[in-house]
Structure formats: C-alpha cells, structure tokens
Amino acid sequence: MAGLFAALEASSLGPVLLATKAELHEGNTRHAQGGIAAAIGPGDSPEQHLADTVAAGAGLVNEENARILVESASRRISDLRRYGVHFDSEGVGPAFGREGAHGQARVLHALGDRTGAAVETALAEQVKNGRVVIYEHTLAVEIVMVEGQTVGIRALEQQSGIEHFFEASAVILATGGAGAAFSHTTNTPVATGDGISLAFAAGAEVTDLEFYQFHPTAFRQEGAPPFLISEALRGEGAVLRNHRGQAFMGRYHELADLAPRDIVARAMISEMRASNSDHIWLDCTVLNNLNPIERFPGIASFCRERGIDLRKDHIPVAPAAHYLMGGVRTDNWGRTTVPGLYACGESAATGVHGANRLASNSLLETVVFAKRAVEHIESNTGGAMPPSSDSIPFLPAGGAPVDISTIQRLLWKHAGIERTGQELRAGLAVVRAWPMNPRVVSRENHELAWLSIFAELLLTAALIREESRGAHFRTDFPQRDDERWGRHLVFHRAD
Ligand code: SIN
C-alpha cells in the first residue's frame, strides 16, 4: 500500500519506476483485515485518536508525528476513495469497527474483513492504468550512493538474471516488515525486511527493532498456512476461552479481550502453558447482533474450509509475529538519514507507533507518510534527517544459514513474546557463527543474508534494552524503566 500510494502520488512529478521482487499484489497489505483507523465519526476526534495512539505506544511515541498521522486521516481517506476504494457503510455514513486499545469504534473497513485486498486492488488498478513503469520480479539489491547522495538502485531482474542500474533523483523504500523471520507469523513470505538491511548497508540509521508486535490471534492448526483472525472479531464481542471453556482475559486486564495486544498475547501464553497446549479458543458465537459470515466473510470462508463454522464452533488461535514498529529511521517527511533515500510504511520507523502499535494505525501510516515523502520530493529541498547523537555503530557478522526456517526457529525461540538475557545472548552466538559462504546470486540468498542482519540487530537491541515495554517483554527485567530506557535504540553500520 505504501509503495503503490507513493508511486501514484509521485507520478504527476515525473517518471516513476516501481520495482517489486514479487508480483504487484504480493505483500502484507493484501492480508490486512481490521481496517484503517480514522477519527472521522460522530463523537470522535483526532485528539482522542492521538491519546489512544500515545497510550498504546508505551512512552516512546513521537507525538509530533503521531499528531500528523491522526490529523491527516480524513484527507487521506478521501484520497483512497478518489482512487476507488469503497469503504463499508452503515446507514448514511461509514461503518466503524472497534479494535483493542481504541477508546472509540473508528476503524473503517471494506468488503467486511477484506480491507487490505480492497485497498490493494484499487491502488494496483490505478498504478497499472497510469504512467508508472512497473518492474515485477525485480529485486533491489543495493542503494547506490555517490558522494553521500542516493543516485538510484541496483536491481536484479530475477527471471533473466539481468542486473539493472536504475538512476533516480529520489528512492522511496516501501518494502514492508519482516514477519517471515519468525516461525509463526501473520505475514506473507515476502516480508523479509529487505529495505531495512538495504538502507542499513547504505549508511542509514535503523531503530526500534526490538519492538516486534505479536498479534494474539493467528489461526493455529497443524499444517495451516499463516492466517490472521482479526481483532475486529473481539471488537464485535468475540471472547477468548481457555481449554476449560473459561473466558480468562478479565483476570489479566480491565479491558479484558480488548486489552493491548502484548497483554493479551502473554495472557494466552500463560493459559496455554497451564493446559500444555499450543492454542487457545476464540468464541465467535457470542457476537453483538451480527452475522459473522456477513461481517467477516474472509475469516468465515478460511475457517469453513477447515471444518469450522463461526456460528457454532470455536477457532483455534495463538499469537504470531505481526508488525515491526521499528525500521529505517525517518523524520515526518519520510526522509532517512541518507540524502535522497526515503522510507514509508512498515519498513520505516516514523515513531508514531512507539513500542506498541495501536491496531489499524498501520494502513493509515502508509498513506500519510507516503504522501508526505512525495510532497517533500516535490519541494526539491533535499537534505536528510539529522543523525541521532547516540546512534550505536554496529558491524554485522555477515554469515547466513542455508535456509530460512533456521532463522525463523531461532527468532521464535530466542526473541519471541517472552525474552531473557540468557536466551538473547545464546541466539546471538548462533547468528554470529553462521558461515560466510559465497553463494549463487539469487533472491533467496539475498533474503537470507538480509534476514540474518535483521536477526542480529533485533537480538542485539532486545539484549541491550533491559526492561519491559510495549511489545518487548523481558522476564528477567519485567518492569518498565523510564529513567534508563525511555529512549530509542538506534544503530548505524560501523564501516
Ligand atoms: C486485525 O485485524 O486484527 C489486525 C489489524 C492491525 O494489525 O492493525
């Protein structure tokens, strides 16, 4: 969504090339269910949306940028409508869903729970019919710099093996998150954190990589593909139940099933441990006055194919890696610390999510900051985000395992929902021992190399942060420590 929106908006400025390593429609957007948070309903206000965003972010939200996020929502929703997105309505106005830690029902959705697919289809149609030059199956392998300025990218056209140099006055990274780095995830396999490692290699600062949000309710059944079971179901009254059939969330938080995601995920882990099971049940038979099949057609159909009827059965769910709050450090114009290099969407760390993202703020972030990156490029003022004064120089070990499942198991075990210094150190020792074999140039090998760098950075950041905050939970440091850790960890490449 970030890439498509940026390309569309930039296409009035001059020639735009959009390179994607897969096909245009592949990416996490397509799988987004809940929707887009926007304080545009009666009784709501950007101020309330801001307060919820700041509270969810556990002390690390950049409030200036978060204010831009919530105050731009109405204009960006109008842009999406102009590009052909039809949001679901109720009566004469839009229908608003509710999700965890939101004080109001303010989540716009489309085609029920197929919001991401509706948005992605509409934007992709516009891009295909417009002036943007599209290169599919073309993997960016290097951000090319001359005298400290971005001058384009080197990219590998995978089918022909041809490597291109695409010259550009500005490069916008919109490469998404890195959920594919974990054994259990709601993300698509293309989410391998490429942009983070590419930007890091070009000298850009990266930050907040220890903050990986685990969504409490991913479908969990042996052999089933990754699939999100939207929090919007709990927003409509669905209830988590343990193996004794008890609704347990009230024992953990006053907001019960709509508590912040980190709290729900840890409560589930604790209940799963108590019953020695790898899942919990989501009971959707108790929804408030609505038919789950109509409101959640995507989830209903996925479950039906596995013999589960939402009207009478419970869904097996467990937490899974979902969203990276951190990424390439940017200012509120999408500028990284490298001149000419911009980032937006999940690959960027704008600071609006702090240590824990408020549900459905991510799709909003993609359009708000993609738009601002394009506006900044149009202004022709150049420059870069000033580097952080306490950025940590870091040189990755540079090795990689032979397959992605090694990285996935490692991060799930050593840097999952509950972390300890001992586990993180052990994980780092494994990463640093991975061999540095020269390998065939291929998409898979690039992804493995980049994921290895990402894993090492994540483990290091999580080890340094000796406290618990938002999505980062250390059982050996279970308290939040604002005095020592009310700050961001920033890294740049030592060489
Ligand atoms: C969901 O639908 O539960 C996910 C929404 C989000 O992560 O923002």
Side-chain angles (χ1 to χ4, degrees), residues 124-132 134:
E125 245 352 87
Q126 296 284 341
V127 167
K128 281 189 221 151
N129 295 328
R131 285 182 284 174
V132 176
I134 303 166

Side-chain angles (χ1 to χ4, degrees), residues 242-444:
N242 63 21
H243 284 263
R244 290 192 300 282
Q246 294 164 342
F248 56 85
M249 272 313 302
R251 280 194 272 118
Y252 293 88
H253 197 275
E254 61 195 9
L255 291 173
D257 290 88
L258 287 179
R261 287 183 179 172
D262 58 306
I263 291 171
V264 182
R266 287 200 302 279
M268 289 169 69
I269 295 286
S270 153
E271 296 290 320
M272 281 152 62
R273 264 191 206 125
S275 57
N276 198 19
S277 171
D278 69 348
H279 62 272
I280 280 293
W281 299 103
L282 185 66
D283 175 1
C284 309
T285 63
V286 287
L287 296 193
N288 310 321
N289 298 326
L290 58 79
N291 179 347
I293 318 262
E294 279 166 18
R295 170 66 179 86
F296 299 101
I299 296 172
S301 141
F302 180 90
C303 289
R304 194 181 318 112
E305 282 164 23
R306 285 154 187 86
I308 298 163
D309 181 342
L310 297 196
R311 291 164 303 188
K312 44 184 210 293
D313 304 319
H314 296 171
I315 311 174
V317 290
H322 184 56
Y323 188 88
L324 175 62
M325 269 70 74
V328 186
R329 189 165 166 263
T330 70
D331 65 8
N332 57 38
W333 293 107
R335 292 188 306 178
T336 69
T337 51
V338 165
L341 180 65
Y342 295 76
C344 56
E346 195 174 346
S347 57
T350 59
V352 299
H353 307 307
N356 208 7
R357 179 181 58 97
L358 186 67
S360 290
N361 266 358
S362 44
L363 296 192
L364 179 61
E365 186 199 21
T366 64
V367 283
V368 169
F369 292 100
K371 172 81 178 176
R372 288 178 66 86
V374 173
E375 283 173 349
H376 190 269
I377 292 166
E378 186 176 13
S379 73
N380 225 358
T381 46
M385 182 188 197
S388 158
S389 56
D390 53 7
S391 177
I392 303 166
F394 187 84
L395 197 59
V402 289
D403 61 15
I404 191 169
S405 63
T406 305
I407 300 177
Q408 293 169 333
R409 284 195 305 272
L410 177 112
L411 283 189
W412 188 255
K413 175 171 186 311
H414 294 275
I417 298 161
E418 294 178 340
R419 301 164 172 178
T420 65
Q422 203 182 354
E423 285 286 348
L424 291 162
R425 262 186 292 275
L428 265 176
V430 174
V431 173
R432 289 182 181 147
W434 281 336
M436 297 227 266
N437 299 336
R439 294 216 173 89
V440 181
V441 176
S442 68
R443 170 174 152 187
E444 287 68 30

Side-chain angles (χ1 to χ4, degrees), residues 27-71:
N28 278 337
T29 297
R30 193 158 192 81
H31 303 273
Q33 296 177 359
I36 306 182
I40 56 172
D44 202 357
S45 67
E47 212 56 49
Q48 294 174 65
H49 188 182
L50 179 66
D52 291 343
T53 300
V54 170
L60 286 186
V61 169
N62 177 324
E63 289 199 30
E64 186 189 335
N65 294 2
R67 183 173 288 283
I68 292 172
L69 175 82
V70 297
E71 289 182 351

Side-chain angles (χ1 to χ4, degrees), residues 18-26 134-140 155-162 164 166 190 443:
L18 179 60
T20 174
K21 69 177 176 182
E23 285 172 16
L24 209 51
H25 65 88
E26 287 182 67
I134 303 166
Y135 272 74
E136 293 186 310
H137 303 288
T138 302
L139 177 77
L156 174 71
E157 209 178 326
Q158 291 151 49
Q159 274 146 3
S160 62
I162 293 172
H164 298 275
F166 295 124
V190 299
R443 170 174 152 187

Side-chain angles (χ1 to χ4, degrees), residues 40-121:
I40 56 172
D44 202 357
S45 67
E47 212 56 49
Q48 294 174 65
H49 188 182
L50 179 66
D52 291 343
T53 300
V54 170
L60 286 186
V61 169
N62 177 324
E63 289 199 30
E64 186 189 335
N65 294 2
R67 183 173 288 283
I68 292 172
L69 175 82
V70 297
E71 289 182 351
S72 310
S74 164
R75 289 190 302 276
R76 298 296 78 82
I77 295 295
S78 301
D79 291 342
L80 289 172
R81 289 194 168 117
R82 184 164 45 83
Y83 284 134
V85 179
H86 300 287
F87 292 103
D88 296 335
S89 56
E90 198 170 283
V92 289
F96 293 103
R98 183 166 192 161
E99 291 186 61
H102 280 277
Q104 294 268 344
R106 64 165 70 94
V107 180
L108 291 166
H109 46 87
L111 301 178
D113 58 0
R114 291 179 171 136
T115 310
V119 171
E120 190 271 331
T121 305

